[in-house]
Amino acid sequence: LVAFVLVTNQSSPQFCCIAGDAGRVAMDNLIGFVGKDYVLIASDTTTRHSIVVVKDDEDKTIQLDSHKLLALSGEQGDRVQFGEFIAKNIALNTLRSGIQMSTHAAANFTRGELAHFLRQSPYFVNILLAGYDNDVGPSLYFMDYLSSMHKMDKAGHGYGSYFILSTLDRLWKPGMSLDEGLKLMGACIQEIKTRLVINSPRYLVKVIDKDGVRIITPPKN
Amino acid sequence: MSARYDRAITVFSPDGHLFQVEYAMEAVRKAYTAVGVRGKDVIVLGVEKKSTVKLQDPRTVRKIHMLDDHICVAFAGLTADARVLVNRARVECQSFKLNLEDPVTVDYITRYIAEIQQKYTQSGGVRPFGISTLVIGFDPDGTPQLYQTDPAGTFSAWKAQATGRNAKTVREFLEKNYSEEETADDEKTIKLAMKALLEVVESGSKNIEIAVMRRNEPLEILSDERVDEFVKQIEAEREAAEASNQ
């Protein structure tokens, strides 16, 4: 599965599955969950190429507008290209109509584009789209590279998700305050660091609430 | 199919005129006035509003449009033609940002709009756009810019410009009264634009709409109350000037 080097009788060893074959076996970890009046999104900050850590302060999220965040994991080129493509199209829509689209609309638009390209030139990206609307409150949408989409209270992508989904099943409850949410996010990140053999030392955590999108630091425990 | 559309509508006359383009400019000359004034740190756009429609929802009639966060356009002429051009320009603004990671300069997007207008004077089966635009915005280095395009596809930068009906009167007023001091701060620039527009438009917030673009800030469209405030100030200053002349 993960992280072993096959030495073959060819002159150079074959590296297998460490970076994930085309992002399907995604190594980028994304965690997201909804609280009382906010959404928290965490993404790891490592960019890998084979066994090398190319960058350790990568921001894998892209802000779509004042109250929406798109977090992507997977194939790095696709992540940047697709993310920017969606962001600019949402900006165009805002300028055309004069108002910001709802998170629901933005999520469905994103999923639609993923679906459109799936059978042409697919984007190997997994997505968590988070947003805050004044009438609906906080919302989180989970999408995978096959363009399936679910509106969820708690979600994750990458190998880390195998662990944190259990953590969140146990510890998440509806209507948590921001402090409780941050403690829970800290616990999730700690879980990945403890249990995943390849992981990132740093996670970038962002919160979206009525005041917009900002970076936030969970307490160290 | 394309064989039916290869015949040009805009062709030269024996004495070197492109009549369709000139007729398009005539359409602009019949439209409601728009004025733009470039200040030191601000650019002001003023447009004449139709005041006679009672049943229409005025919020849906916008003559001033945002092309991007830092660029804005007003026009004089056929509203539907403007809608098409504004849409193309908006797409280009985003496309440019996507490919080059930088927002467009005012010069670039004006050139883009002007090129489209020119193309429609030299293509088969189409007529020129019946609008002149006033494009305003701040360049990345912070300089305020005001540009104008016309149906022929010419464009140039201006310190102050007017287009639409009575543009000549408004422009003459601006030529007489524009100076660095008169546009040194935001209020003065707004007043100058309003005074210029009020030369040819009945005074009152019902008849004019004023938009103010400041560096790194979203476009501000002045509320009716503020417009009326300014109008009162201008009228008071005018009366005071007349009284002192006597």
Side-chain angles (χ1 to χ4, degrees):
Chain A
L1 241 200
V2 206
F4 56 92
V5 173
L6 280 176
V7 179
T8 67
N9 51 12
Q10 291 169 352
S11 52
S12 61
Q14 305 264 305
F15 295 101
C16 173
C17 283
I18 294 170
D21 40 289
R24 265 168 289 213
V25 184
M27 298 298 285
D28 306 332
N29 292 312
L30 298 179
I31 316 168
F33 58 84
V34 165
K36 180 161 175 288
D37 50 6
Y38 63 88
V39 195
L40 274 177
I41 295 274
S43 55
D44 78 296
T45 58
T46 318
T47 308
R48 288 176 211 89
H49 194 73
S50 179
I51 57 167
V52 178
V53 171
V54 173
K55 197 164 185 266
D56 64 357
D57 56 359
E58 172 92 355
D59 185 355
K60 294 179 185 169
T61 66
I62 186 159
Q63 194 166 337
L64 300 180
D65 66 28
S66 63
H67 288 75
K68 285 186 206 42
L69 193 69
L70 184 66
L72 306 108
S73 76
E75 186 75 33
Q76 199 203 333
D78 287 352
R79 179 161 51 78
V80 172
Q81 294 293 89
F82 186 73
E84 290 187 347
F85 169 72
I86 295 294
K88 296 301 185 277
N89 272 284
I90 288 184
L92 179 63
N93 184 281
T94 307
L95 280 162
R96 271 181 177 154
S97 65
I99 54 168
Q100 288 188 347
M101 19 160 74
S102 62
T103 311
H104 176 80
N108 277 282
F109 170 70
T110 308
R111 192 212 73 83
E113 291 301 306
L114 269 177
H116 170 76
F117 287 107
L118 180 62
R119 299 201 187 268
Q120 284 188 6
S121 58
Y123 286 102
F124 286 121
V125 287
N126 298 309
I127 287 171
L128 288 182
L129 195 152
Y132 184 91
D133 304 284
N134 284 328
D135 46 357
V136 169
S139 40
L140 177 67
Y141 289 84
F142 164 103
M143 274 172 261
D144 76 1
Y145 71 98
L146 293 171
S147 76
S148 69
M149 183 173 81
H150 302 282
K151 185 175 187 298
M152 300 172 79
D153 291 326
K154 45 197 186 327
H157 281 297
Y159 284 124
S161 68
Y162 292 129
F163 302 104
I164 56 105
L165 282 174
S166 311
T167 313
L168 289 170
D169 279 345
R170 219 168 8 105
L171 297 177
W172 183 91
K173 47 188 204 302
M176 289 191 296
S177 71
L178 185 57
D179 279 335
E180 293 175 310
L182 279 172
K183 278 211 194 74
L184 178 54
M185 187 58 92
C188 289
I189 294 172
Q190 191 53 42
E191 186 70 25
I192 301 181
K193 286 185 179 172
T194 313
R195 288 299 179 187
L196 191 56
V197 63
I198 291 180
N199 62 68
S200 167
R202 264 187 63 215
Y203 283 75
L204 187 59
V205 184
K206 291 188 179 175
V207 62
I208 309 174
D209 58 16
K210 63 172 173 29
D211 300 323
V213 181
R214 59 188 188 283
I215 298 177
I216 199 164
T217 328
K220 280 198 183 351
N221 45 342
Chain B
M1 260 184 300
S2 55
R4 307 193 65 185
Y5 291 107
D6 63 2
R7 212 171 151 280
I9 297 175
T10 309
V11 289
F12 277 111
S13 70
D15 57 348
H17 291 259
L18 286 172
F19 278 122
Q20 281 302 300
V21 176
E22 289 180 18
Y23 297 157
M25 291 181 180
E26 188 59 34
V28 171
R29 244 170 265 134
K30 293 212 156 54
Y32 291 106
T33 320
V35 69
V37 179
R38 189 186 82 196
K40 188 163 159 292
D41 300 302
V42 75
I43 317 150
V44 181
L45 278 177
V47 293
E48 180 185 356
K49 270 198 308 200
K50 241 190 327 201
S51 63
T52 50
V53 278
K54 287 201 181 137
L55 295 176
Q56 194 180 64
D57 185 345
R59 294 171 302 176
T60 59
V61 184
R62 278 266 106 94
K63 280 197 63 175
I64 301 176
H65 295 100
M66 298 229 55
L67 295 185
D68 201 348
D69 301 323
H70 63 303
I71 300 210
C72 175
V73 68
F75 64 91
L78 277 50
T79 314
D81 284 8
R83 203 173 56 223
V84 171
L85 270 183
V86 165
N87 190 45
R88 300 267 287 269
R90 280 174 174 157
V91 173
E92 177 62 17
C93 283
Q94 296 306 314
S95 177
F96 186 94
K97 256 204 291 214
L98 184 61
N99 293 320
L100 306 182
E101 281 285 308
D102 279 335
V104 295
T105 58
V106 189
D107 168 82
Y108 176 89
I109 199 67
T110 310
R111 186 185 306 268
Y112 180 80
I113 293 172
E115 263 175 27
I116 297 177
Q117 287 185 285
Q118 191 281 341
K119 204 172 292 185
Y120 277 66
T121 69
Q122 213 179 4
S123 299
V126 297
R127 60 161 176 82
F129 285 93
I131 62 167
S132 279
T133 69
L134 290 173
V135 185
I136 63 164
F138 286 88
D139 276 345
D141 65 356
T143 15
Q145 304 274 20
L146 165 66
Y147 277 84
Q148 186 209 25
T149 72
D150 67 15
T154 34
F155 75 97
S156 53
W158 294 78
K159 294 180 188 155
Q161 172 66 301
T163 175
R165 62 185 192 192
N166 304 314
K168 195 155 169 294
T169 315
V170 178
R171 205 174 309 124
E172 278 168 7
F173 176 88
L174 287 169
E175 280 172 12
K176 245 197 298 186
N177 293 289
Y178 183 94
S179 72
E180 302 291 308
E181 326 156 3
E182 283 305 312
T183 53
D185 67 43
D186 296 7
E187 259 209 30
K188 279 193 164 151
T189 316
I190 296 173
K191 276 218 201 112
L192 180 62
M194 284 188 67
K195 272 191 258 188
L197 196 52
L198 290 172
E199 288 280 304
V200 297
V201 176
E202 243 184 77
S203 71
S205 62
K206 291 195 283 98
N207 300 311
I208 57 178
E209 185 169 292
I210 305 284
V212 182
M213 182 124 235
R214 293 184 184 82
R215 211 172 278 122
N216 298 324
E217 280 181 41
L219 182 76
E220 183 200 352
I221 300 195
L222 297 188
S223 64
D224 288 349
E225 294 83 38
R226 282 214 73 199
V227 172
D228 284 331
E229 257 177 55
F230 275 117
V231 169
K232 266 205 213 87
Q233 280 183 32
I234 291 170
E235 283 179 350
E237 283 168 18
R238 214 178 268 166
E239 279 169 25
E242 275 174 28
S244 67
N245 279 347
Q246 286 166 0

